[in-house]
């Protein structure tokens, strides 16, 4: 092994060790002494937001994923661009993030800061993690304990997004590799993909599967016809369809049942059943909702540890989630 490769391997090992050390400092009762009612405050604000705007469910879950996979779970995706910097949220891969996801965090942050004991003591990163758990539970998914103690990131650049988010065209090997880079297994990846049981996707993300010379052979022909009718050539790029056509507002294992029927909307969805290596897990979770929920909670907990910052030199608690502290 060359000296350069050894140095790179050593640096990667140190970075992974630092991340694990930071993640070990997270704990569910982190705010017990400073803001003991934080989880109820966030839950109440999120419940109100979802009642007003149901699409906030999928939007918030997607926001959390896009945040954690770029520079770690540090709310850097919420920061707005400035005159001298283009932020993550304005990268082409993030332009489709729905505003209601951002607003869910902003509303919850405002509710927390309205309590004098809690003002400016709870990070936006932790609020996003709690809000994600809460929207999932409100949609019928599992309620679970969220580890807390993340600090908010000190930077957000569009260039940092490059290569860190899986496009909808990825195959199983590509998906497995990008999740492995975040210390997530293939089973974690499959479980987290089921977040597509809620939310929507714009026509352009799956147009190649239905508008070529023939419908993707892994897609159910009837479903392909329905999609083509809703997304014909030249359709308004703002048109979006439910990722789960059967139970679009419920967080359940219908996602896996859809895959068995050739009704995964994105290539990266349907490949989980089309590939023999991942199909057994899909079949298991299609038949066993409890098994899926246990795996999903475990994967979400691991996702919430990705690249977390607990060192004050690397992060702080933002007064405004969208703007760095002055």
């Amino acid at each position: 092994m060359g000296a350069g490769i050894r140095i790179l391997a050593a640096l990667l090992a140190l970075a992974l060790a630092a991340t694990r050390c930071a993640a070990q400092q997270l704990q569910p009762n982190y705010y017990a002494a400073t803001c003991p009612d934080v989880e109820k405050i966030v839950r109440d604000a999120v419940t109100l937001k979802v009642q007003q705007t149901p699409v906030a469910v999928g939007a918030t879950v997607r926001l959390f994923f896009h945040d954690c996979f770029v520079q770690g779970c540090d709310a850097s995706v919420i920061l707005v661009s400035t005159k001298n910097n283009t932020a993550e949220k304005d990268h082409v891969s993030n332009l489709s993030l729905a505003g209601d996801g951002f607003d869910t965090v902003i509303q919850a942050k405002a509710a927390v800061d309205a309590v004098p004991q809690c003002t400016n003591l709870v990070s936006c990163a932790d609020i996003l993690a709690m809000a994600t758990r809460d929207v999932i539970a409100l949609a019928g998914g599992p309620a679970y304990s969220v580890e807390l103690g993340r600090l908010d990131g000190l930077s957000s650049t569009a260039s940092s997004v490059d290569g860190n988010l899986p496009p909808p065209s990825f195959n199983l090997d590509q998906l497995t590799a990008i999740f492995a880079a975040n210390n997530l297994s293939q089973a974690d990846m499959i479980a987290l993909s089921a977040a597509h049981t809620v939310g929507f996707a714009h026509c352009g993300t799956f147009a190649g599967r239905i508008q070529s010379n023939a419908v993707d052979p892994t897609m159910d022909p009837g479903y392909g016809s329905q999609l083509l009718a809703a997304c014909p050539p030249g359709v308004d790029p703002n048109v979006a369809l439910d990722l789960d056509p059967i139970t679009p507002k419920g967080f359940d294992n219908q996602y896996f049942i859809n895959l068995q029927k050739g009704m995964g909307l994105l290539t990266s969805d349907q490949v989980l059943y089309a590939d023999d290596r991942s199909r057994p897990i899909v079949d298991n979770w299609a038949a066993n909702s409890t098994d899926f929920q246990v795996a999903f909670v475990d994967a979400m907990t691991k996702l919430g540890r990705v690249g977390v910052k607990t060192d004050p030199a690397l992060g702080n608690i933002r007064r405004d989630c969208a703007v760095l502290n002055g």
Side-chain angles (χ1 to χ4, degrees):
M1 183 185 291
I5 294 176
R6 284 197 299 271
I7 292 172
L8 179 59
L11 290 173
L12 289 172
L14 285 171
L16 183 58
T19 295
R20 285 175 175 162
C21 182
Q24 287 170 358
Q25 296 181 45
L26 301 180
Q27 52 186 312
N29 62 348
Y30 183 83
Y31 296 104
T34 54
C35 185
D37 294 327
V38 64
E39 296 208 47
K40 182 181 185 304
I41 297 167
V42 171
R43 187 179 302 113
D44 288 349
V46 170
T47 299
L48 180 60
K49 173 63 181 178
V50 170
Q51 288 172 345
Q52 295 170 339
T53 321
V55 296
V57 174
T60 304
V61 175
R62 188 162 180 248
L63 185 67
F64 183 59
F65 177 82
H66 279 234
D67 182 46
C68 292
F69 262 42
V70 180
Q71 300 194 92
C73 307
D74 64 352
S76 55
V77 74
I78 301 176
L79 288 168
V80 296
S81 296
T82 64
K83 180 175 63 175
N84 299 316
N85 177 65
T86 302
E88 290 174 35
K89 70 180 297 186
D90 289 320
H91 186 278
V92 64
S93 297
N94 284 330
L95 294 178
S96 61
L97 289 172
D100 286 303
F102 295 93
D103 191 55
T104 298
V105 179
I106 290 167
Q107 295 294 334
K109 167 73 168 170
V112 171
D113 284 348
V115 178
Q117 181 181 3
C118 303
T119 305
N120 296 328
L121 292 179
V122 181
S123 70
C124 301
D126 277 346
I127 289 174
L128 175 54
M130 287 185 277
T132 301
R133 181 267 312 275
D134 293 337
V135 297
I136 288 168
L138 287 167
Y144 54 93
S145 176
V146 173
E147 297 174 336
L148 302 169
R150 302 165 189 79
L151 292 176
D152 297 324
L154 303 179
S155 69
S156 178
T157 61
S159 60
S160 64
V161 180
D162 292 337
N164 288 314
L165 293 172
S169 59
F170 261 15
N171 61 31
L172 184 66
D173 290 330
Q174 292 168 316
L175 289 168
T176 300
I178 200 168
F179 276 74
N182 291 286
N183 202 33
L184 294 161
S185 68
Q186 186 177 89
D188 293 329
M189 177 271 291
I190 298 170
L192 292 171
S193 295
H196 285 175
T197 188
V198 291
F200 55 84
H202 292 90
C203 293
T205 59
F206 54 87
R209 301 187 69 204
I210 60 172
Q211 293 182 6
S212 53
N213 292 331
V215 170
D216 184 330
T218 65
M219 179 181 284
D220 174 77
Y223 183 49
S225 297
Q226 292 174 21
L227 295 177
L228 187 56
C231 294
V235 69
D236 183 334
N238 292 315
V239 171
L241 302 185
D242 291 321
L243 283 157
D244 178 352
I246 308 300
T247 58
K249 293 184 170 127
F251 197 98
D252 50 32
N253 67 332
Q254 182 65 44
Y255 171 82
F256 299 109
I257 298 170
N258 292 344
L259 298 186
Q260 290 176 318
K261 297 178 179 179
M263 295 174 64
L265 185 60
L266 308 178
T267 297
S268 55
D269 292 321
Q270 194 58 47
V271 74
L272 302 181
Y273 188 74
D275 195 303
D276 293 339
R277 295 170 294 173
S278 47
R279 184 180 300 169
I281 291 180
V282 172
D283 285 336
N284 179 40
W285 290 343
N288 298 283
S289 177
T290 300
D291 287 357
F292 157 60
Q293 291 198 4
V294 170
F296 181 79
V297 169
D298 182 59
M300 283 296 287
T301 301
K302 290 169 68 176
L303 174 62
R305 297 169 180 164
V306 172
V308 295
K309 298 162 180 68
T310 56
D311 182 344
L314 302 176
N316 60 20
I317 294 176
R318 265 181 241 142
R319 291 185 292 272
D320 179 339
C321 291
V323 182
L324 292 174
N325 293 347

